[in-house]
Amino acid sequence: MASGSSAEMDPDVARRLFEEGATLVLMGVPQGTELGIDCKSWQVGPRFRGVKMIPPGLHFLNYCAVNQPNCGGEVGPKRGLFLTLKPKEILLANWDPKEEDLDFSASQNEEEVNKIRANLRDLDPYLGPYPYEVMRKWVSLTDHLNEEVANNLQPLSGRICAFSDVIPETQYRHTKDRADQPRNDVACQSMKEGLDRLPRMKIREGTELRFSIIPEKNYPPGATPAQITQYSMDLSYTLELVLEKNHKLNPLNLLGELQFAFVCFIIGNVYEGFEHWKRLLTILCRAESSMHTRKDLYLGLIAVLYHQLGEIPADFFVDIVSQDNFLTSTLQDFFQFASGPAVDSSLRKRAEKFKAHLTKKFRWDFDADLDDCAPVVVELPEGLAMD
């Protein structure tokens, strides 16, 4: 990342960000490291010392350590963290070469931070400006995600990692313990035997994402077979349970969690984020009764999806083997439920516009047979667009 120019930025905006923007001072980051903030990333150059003119608010800092050229120059797994920056704040971190990670403990040293602030003008040529061109996109992807929600969802370790940090479930501290385990130098007779010999692993405590727990059963205890069928078709019971346990004070924070999961996947490369995003979306889109009572939640959901789906290619959700498009079938249910007479008229109209927008953008036919989940290409008249 080079020290860039803000020539293309509106002069008033540039002056305001220069005066009010926060500064990330990142010392010792090795040349070649892939580093990004929000929706933009770079390769760090030899002069890099951080990022300046950062708009106050929530941001996602992410980076990948890169081996030296004589080691092959391989890129390590991505790490990241959500930061909430205040106007004129200076956040200081030093690169830890052993952990290949940023150490923010220096920010707790007020004397050190004040020293940086006093010498900020001298440091300025080594600071790259925040990529202002992505700010509008970033805000649209995180408008329901606030500091509290992000902090509650981030791992206790403070790092979001593309690959889970796993350790064996059982630690064999003594030779005798290891001797009692199946020998790996004897040929396996079956796939199952081979898998059984592998040590059972678990995620290292404190490194797991703290997403809302989604109940395994979609129905309450004691439900009759007929009720189980009904609760499985209308997931409102499950949705209300998730809201009650995790977002009781502000149900719209569930949309913040949906955005958090999406950012973790699309920017942080965390597949678990994608899986959780799909689970939440399935519950929201198939909760027919809740659509009748939670207009604001569903108006917000349409806006969230509008911006999220603008960031991914049309064929992203299509399974290569089955050609089953998760998103088409899920949204087909949503549009069917949203067109019901008990749904608020403003939500119903907004859903119709969103459906028309997606039909034009992705050529998905949401009016096809509900049993046929494969995306269907349809021809549309010109001028059909989302307002």
Side-chain angles (χ1 to χ4, degrees):
M1 178 179 178
S3 171
S5 165
S6 55
E8 297 180 3
M9 192 185 302
D10 179 271
D12 291 335
V13 174
R15 183 167 57 253
R16 191 162 65 249
L17 285 178
F18 183 79
E19 295 172 353
E20 299 294 324
T23 304
L24 274 175
V25 178
L26 309 173
M27 306 298 286
V29 180
Q31 182 176 348
T33 299
E34 292 188 8
L35 183 138
I37 185 168
D38 302 341
C39 303
K40 185 100 176 208
S41 61
W42 314 263
Q43 274 200 328
V44 166
R47 291 163 51 88
F48 176 79
R49 298 294 183 274
V51 184
K52 62 183 177 180
M53 300 169 67
I54 305 172
L58 187 78
H59 298 281
F60 184 63
L61 177 69
N62 55 90
Y63 42 91
C64 303
V66 178
N67 288 336
Q68 296 302 315
N70 58 359
C71 298
E74 293 183 356
V75 178
K78 185 172 285 190
R79 298 186 183 188
L81 67 157
F82 283 90
L83 299 168
T84 301
L85 300 174
K86 301 179 179 63
K88 302 182 181 180
E89 181 176 4
I90 293 177
L91 196 59
L92 173 62
N94 294 297
W95 185 260
D96 182 337
K98 183 180 178 182
E99 297 294 330
E100 293 188 322
D101 200 357
L102 288 168
D103 178 3
F104 285 86
S105 60
S107 285
Q108 307 302 318
N109 187 328
E110 191 174 342
E111 183 179 344
E112 190 70 23
V113 173
N114 286 337
K115 189 184 300 182
I116 291 289
R117 191 181 296 278
N119 295 313
L120 203 55
R121 188 173 294 276
D122 295 333
L123 194 62
D124 187 75
Y126 305 95
L127 301 175
Y130 176 83
Y132 179 73
E133 69 273 13
V134 305
M135 189 171 80
R136 184 183 297 274
K137 178 194 294 187
W138 173 249
V139 170
S140 70
L141 290 175
T142 56
D143 58 337
H144 288 282
L145 182 56
N146 55 42
E147 180 180 13
E148 180 185 6
V149 173
N151 288 343
N152 287 340
L153 296 173
Q154 282 199 124
L156 293 173
S157 65
R159 292 294 180 276
I160 297 168
C161 300
F163 296 108
S164 299
D165 185 1
V166 295
I167 57 174
E169 285 187 358
T170 306
Q171 300 288 340
Y172 300 116
R173 301 179 183 278
H174 305 288
T175 304
K176 181 182 181 300
D177 295 333
R178 291 192 294 272
D180 292 338
Q181 299 307 303
R183 292 178 59 184
N184 288 326
D185 57 349
V186 179
C188 298
Q189 301 301 311
S190 67
M191 173 78 75
K192 182 179 184 304
E193 183 183 346
L195 292 174
D196 288 342
R197 287 189 188 183
L198 295 174
R200 295 186 180 277
M201 309 298 285
K202 63 180 180 180
I203 297 178
R204 187 184 298 276
E205 189 174 349
T207 65
E208 63 271 26
L209 288 162
R210 294 178 291 162
F211 288 130
S212 295
I213 302 298
I214 296 175
E216 293 182 7
K217 296 180 179 179
N218 296 326
Y219 51 87
T224 65
Q227 289 172 329
I228 291 174
T229 300
Q230 178 60 36
Y231 284 121
S232 298
M233 294 173 62
D234 178 357
L235 298 182
S236 297
Y237 168 78
T238 305
L239 174 60
E240 297 301 328
L241 207 58
V242 170
L243 291 173
E244 174 70 21
K245 290 188 174 182
N246 302 279
H247 303 294
K248 185 176 182 178
L249 296 179
N250 186 359
L252 292 183
N253 281 346
L254 183 64
L255 299 179
E257 182 170 348
L258 194 71
Q259 291 180 326
F260 179 96
F262 186 82
V263 167
C264 284
F265 172 65
I266 212 76
I267 300 178
N269 300 340
V270 182
Y271 186 72
E272 184 188 350
F274 177 53
E275 287 298 311
H276 189 70
W277 181 84
K278 288 203 301 182
R279 285 194 290 268
L280 287 182
L281 194 57
T282 297
I283 294 170
L284 282 160
C285 288
R286 292 178 171 149
E288 182 178 9
S289 299
S290 293
M291 287 185 204
H292 304 162
T293 58
R294 295 192 178 275
K295 179 188 73 172
D296 291 342
L297 178 66
Y298 281 93
L299 286 172
L301 174 64
I302 291 173
V304 167
L305 288 176
Y306 175 79
H307 293 293
Q308 289 182 342
L309 299 187
E311 298 303 310
I312 48 184
D315 60 351
F316 180 83
F317 296 96
V318 179
D319 185 276
I320 296 173
V321 177
S322 68
Q323 291 297 298
D324 172 54
N325 188 323
F326 150 79
L327 199 57
T328 305
S329 56
T330 303
L331 288 176
Q332 194 170 31
D333 287 338
F334 171 68
F335 292 133
Q336 182 190 30
F337 294 147
S339 65
V343 174
D344 179 87
S345 61
S346 60
L347 174 57
R348 192 164 60 244
K349 290 176 183 176
R350 189 63 178 166
E352 288 171 0
K353 288 185 177 182
F354 186 45
K355 178 181 174 182
H357 164 73
L358 293 179
T359 302
K360 182 178 182 182
K361 181 178 176 66
F362 294 116
R363 301 294 180 89
W364 291 339
D365 184 2
F366 297 105
D367 296 319
D369 188 339
L370 287 172
D371 293 329
D372 180 11
C373 296
V376 179
V377 176
V378 294
E379 297 300 327
L380 292 168
E382 291 296 323
L384 187 58
M386 177 84 169
D387 289 340

